[in-house]
Amino acid sequence: MSQTARRSRAGGSEGPEPAAHGRPWLSLTAVALGVMTVGLDATAVTLANPAIAADLGADLTGLQWVTNGYLLALAVALIPSGKAADRFGRKKIFLAGVIGFFLASLMVGLSGSIGMVVFWRVVQGVAGAMLQPAGLAIIRNAFPPHRLATAIGIWGAAVGVSTAGGPIIGGLLVEHIGWEWVFYVNVPLGIAAALLGLAVIRESRDGESGTSLDPPGVLLLSGALFALVFGLIRAGSHGFDGRLPLASFAAFAVLGAAFLARESRTAQPLLPLRLFRSRALSAATVLMIVGIFGLFGSIFFVQLYLQQVRGLGPIDAGVHILPMTGIFIVSAPLGSLLAERAGPRTPLLIGMLCNAVALYGLSRMGMDAPYAHQWPWYLLIGFAFGLVLTAATDAIVGNAPEQLAGVAGGLQQTAFQVGGMLGTSVLGAVVSMRVGDVLVDRLTEAGLAAPMARQLLAAKEYVAQGGAPAPPGTPEPAAQMIATGSHLAFMDGFHTAMLVGALVSVAGTLVALIVRKGGNSVPTGENVPAKGREGAL
């Protein structure tokens, strides 16, 4: 298998592959069920937001924190949770995360105010941060190196099934039962994952991790990630040059530098920097961010295009993007198969190239494009994502020593979340700036008087979401001009954002070229020969 550990954990010498631990396939099933609760939740909750606002009387800020509170908690807790899994036991942390996630889901549905919804969403984020890296560590520990890529492919397929089903299941539940059931659906899956995991997962931990969880490191990393994610969230509404985003990014830089200085000196670091001696692991982390950047950015604005510009309902929009999400079920196992046989460079390179082509194709799509001109690009984006997700995960988790599997899982998930936040916020800023540049011209081209067109420039943020800001009482002909001009301006922003995403993916192909077949894990010891410290190139 590519990029998985073949050196002994003590000093980097060659040794036999470790045998599988416990009941690996049943353990994988338990982990997959746990991951599916998070996947369903991630894609279904966005469809529930309008119903939550109407039922609980939430304003826009409160509704944004339904998502942002979850994302912040998840990003901040991922690596500390992975470290805790290595220290206290992967099974314990995984089960605690699964149980916490479905109980928090239940409480979200029972909440009677937007404040309580946000609180329990934060609890959901912490629980999700516990179960995801611990789940990957369980897989890493349960399977021998030559089976790890296959196991990660199945894990990726579970992510694909839940991601593909989320929009449709969420739309059906919101329209026919109630928004609460978007969260209640996590309960039976969580119970099944907890019961099966309790019965079949074999406990594992890092016996050399010591007794410290590096509290200063936890505080510095949590603060840095909070500042980064908060800055990205606020950049979506304030712009990247706003005072609040700039202050957040400055805090991220300071806290991040302090964290690196701390980790380089402490004897028991939260995130051992020696992990990044493996250039394969480092490159795969970058590619995870780049791949998710393209996927999340495109799916976010494709949904706005389908619902706001084309006027589709949530269920119909979910069905339209099924080629993008449904192909995960095929491309994730294919990515793991290619990684196992040819090394992760091949699927990573193919995935980045496919993503670049697909995003460029979307940048050429017209406002009234028939579905036949849309779905091939959606399919290609989903195909690329499945390859990148599993191959990059294999390279990250497989190149880390087994004792640090939890930390590696946390690193993988942190890269995933940061890539998603960058995709939506950076491309969102691109759309907003482009809309501001062309909105007046597009409105006047549609026939609207220039004075009124200039007045509507104040609503550019609404137009950047695909909306048409016709004031109440606007005559029908003028309202139609506003809709046409606004949608054309949105499409200008959409095209520019997709082109930026394509260029980022092209840069990702260059990073993929340095990941080669036949790597070794990072040694756990510090005093090892230079040859033993070198990761896969």
Side-chain angles (χ1 to χ4, degrees):
M1 187 206 119
S2 66
Q3 307 300 323
T4 47
R6 293 181 184 274
R7 292 182 183 266
S8 70
R9 305 300 183 237
S13 60
E14 296 292 340
E17 293 180 350
H21 302 298
R23 286 172 276 187
W25 297 108
L26 288 175
S27 298
L28 175 59
T29 302
V31 170
L33 287 171
V35 168
M36 288 178 72
T37 64
V38 179
L40 280 171
D41 190 85
T43 52
V45 169
T46 55
L47 298 175
N49 280 339
I52 293 174
D55 188 31
L56 301 181
D59 58 17
L60 180 59
T61 300
L63 199 61
Q64 286 176 327
W65 279 104
V66 172
T67 298
N68 294 342
Y70 173 84
L71 290 175
L72 280 169
L74 188 69
V76 165
L78 277 166
I79 291 179
S81 294
K83 179 69 172 181
D86 289 336
R87 170 68 181 87
F88 298 111
R90 286 86 182 233
K91 178 178 179 178
K92 288 187 182 71
I93 298 299
F94 173 77
L95 292 177
V98 168
I99 294 169
F101 196 88
F102 79 72
L103 287 178
S105 299
L106 178 64
M107 295 307 298
V108 171
L110 295 174
S111 296
S113 68
I114 192 65
M116 291 307 297
V117 169
V118 172
F119 172 80
W120 287 112
R121 285 284 285 162
V122 170
V123 176
Q124 264 193 318
V126 174
M130 295 171 71
L131 76 89
Q132 291 183 88
L136 278 172
I138 288 168
I139 294 173
R140 173 72 171 85
N141 181 263
F143 286 86
H146 68 283
R147 294 291 185 193
L148 181 58
T150 301
I152 289 176
I154 296 171
W155 168 86
V159 174
V161 169
S162 57
T163 303
I168 298 174
I169 293 172
L172 288 170
L173 292 173
V174 170
E175 289 190 18
H176 298 293
I177 304 180
W179 64 265
E180 299 91 343
W181 285 89
V182 169
F183 299 96
Y184 293 157
V185 75
N186 294 326
V187 175
L189 275 176
I191 291 174
L195 291 177
L196 182 60
L198 184 65
V200 303
I201 294 174
R202 179 175 176 177
E203 186 59 282
S204 64
R205 59 174 57 86
D206 176 10
E208 300 177 357
S209 64
T211 58
S212 174
L213 285 178
D214 186 19
V218 170
L219 290 175
L220 289 170
L221 180 61
S222 297
L225 289 174
F226 181 91
L228 173 63
V229 176
F230 185 78
L232 292 173
I233 289 170
R234 302 315 297 171
S237 56
H238 290 69
F240 279 87
D241 58 349
R243 289 184 179 180
L244 191 57
L246 287 176
S248 296
F249 296 144
F252 163 71
V254 172
L255 292 171
F259 172 74
L260 293 176
R262 161 74 188 181
E263 297 305 280
S264 66
R265 294 195 307 266
T266 184
Q268 298 179 13
L270 173 68
L271 179 63
L273 299 184
R274 64 181 181 271
L275 281 173
F276 298 101
R277 292 175 185 167
S278 166
R279 280 175 279 181
L281 183 147
S282 301
T285 303
V286 172
L287 288 170
M288 181 66 75
I289 294 173
V290 171
I292 303 304
F293 178 99
L295 175 79
F296 274 49
S298 61
I299 199 171
F300 181 81
F301 288 104
V302 164
Q303 281 281 10
L304 288 177
Y305 164 74
L306 292 173
Q307 296 190 49
Q308 299 284 70
V309 177
R310 302 302 293 267
L312 298 181
I315 296 177
D316 287 339
V319 171
H320 271 65
I321 65 166
L322 263 180
M324 185 188 294
T325 54
I327 194 65
F328 295 169
I329 304 168
V330 176
S331 61
L334 178 61
S336 69
L337 180 64
L338 287 172
E340 186 172 354
R341 294 188 176 181
R345 181 173 61 177
T346 298
L348 288 172
L349 190 58
I350 294 173
M352 286 292 110
L353 287 173
C354 287
N355 206 43
V357 171
L359 292 174
Y360 179 77
L362 287 176
S363 76
R364 312 298 296 173
M365 187 175 71
M367 184 172 73
D368 298 318
Y371 188 59
H373 294 174
Q374 300 176 38
W375 72 261
W377 306 126
Y378 303 159
L379 185 74
L380 196 57
I381 288 172
F383 177 76
F385 173 66
L387 297 183
V388 173
L389 175 68
T390 50
T393 300
D394 177 38
I396 294 170
V397 177
N399 273 283
E402 190 172 329
Q403 291 91 332
L404 295 176
V407 173
L411 177 64
Q412 183 268 356
Q413 286 294 318
T414 300
F416 187 101
Q417 297 300 327
V418 169
M421 290 299 302
L422 284 170
T424 54
S425 60
V426 172
L427 296 186
V430 169
V431 171
S432 180
M433 288 187 292
R434 181 60 176 160
V435 166
D437 290 340
V438 304
L439 180 58
V440 173
D441 290 341
R442 285 301 194 182
L443 290 170
T444 55
E445 289 170 10
L448 197 67
M452 188 173 184
R454 286 191 288 270
Q455 290 177 4
L456 292 175
L457 185 60
K460 70 173 186 177
E461 294 298 331
Y462 183 61
V463 176
Q465 298 174 21
T474 302
E476 181 59 29
Q480 186 58 47
M481 294 174 191
I482 292 172
T484 300
S486 297
H487 289 161
L488 286 171
F490 171 82
M491 292 306 297
D492 286 336
F494 178 88
H495 292 155
T496 304
M498 294 303 102
L499 187 59
V500 169
L503 293 174
V504 170
S505 295
V506 170
T509 62
L510 302 178
V511 179
L513 289 173
I514 71 173
V515 182
R516 298 179 184 172
K517 183 180 179 182
N520 302 301
S521 71
V522 181
T524 57
E526 291 293 340
N527 299 317
V528 294
K531 182 179 179 181
R533 293 196 304 265
E534 187 64 41
L537 303 182

